[in-house]
Amino acid sequence: MSAAARTLSLVDLCGLSEDAAHKMLCEMRWADSDGSPVCPHCSCPAVYTYRCRRVFKCKSRHRQFSATSGILLAYRKLPFRTLLNLQKEEFSHAA
């Protein structure tokens, strides 16, 4: 988790829109590539971005994935703000 993500307050997280929360989750998830999505199946950095949904598609394997694919909260149908709050809580207790 980046230093900027660790210093976020709960008030900052609650004030985010869903789009901003999704962007922040992508930046936290793929910090090594500056928030650009990387396929969790093959680590390929070349992906398509769907405009109408928050889903990506790997150009090499043609598999769809999202910002939560391959993590503990992958199959949770929660808003991205809630996911960020849960992740912040998890890391604050681990520190």
Side-chain angles (χ1 to χ4, degrees), residues 62-84:
H62 306 288
R63 293 186 69 174
Q64 290 185 1
F65 63 95
S66 70
T68 59
S69 294
I71 64 173
L72 184 64
L73 301 170
Y75 298 104
R76 306 299 187 264
K77 301 298 182 196
L78 297 171
F80 288 106
R81 287 189 317 199
T82 304
L83 293 175
L84 283 174

Side-chain angles (χ1 to χ4, degrees), residues 17-64:
S17 67
E18 273 301 294
D19 289 333
H22 180 259
K23 183 178 179 186
M24 184 175 290
L25 185 63
C26 288
E27 290 171 356
M28 291 168 59
R29 170 85 192 271
W30 296 297
D32 295 339
S33 62
D34 295 326
S36 297
V38 176
C39 178
H41 307 288
C42 67
S43 301
C44 177
V47 299
Y48 299 106
T49 302
Y50 286 89
R51 291 184 195 162
C52 59
R53 297 173 35 213
R54 293 183 181 110
V55 177
F56 308 102
K57 186 174 181 179
C58 177
K59 287 185 179 180
S60 67
R61 294 187 68 195
H62 306 288
R63 293 186 69 174
Q64 290 185 1

Side-chain angles (χ1 to χ4, degrees), residues 4-25:
R6 283 192 298 269
T7 59
L8 282 173
S9 71
L10 189 59
V11 173
D12 293 335
L13 290 176
C14 290
L16 291 175
S17 67
E18 273 301 294
D19 289 333
H22 180 259
K23 183 178 179 186
M24 184 175 290
L25 185 63

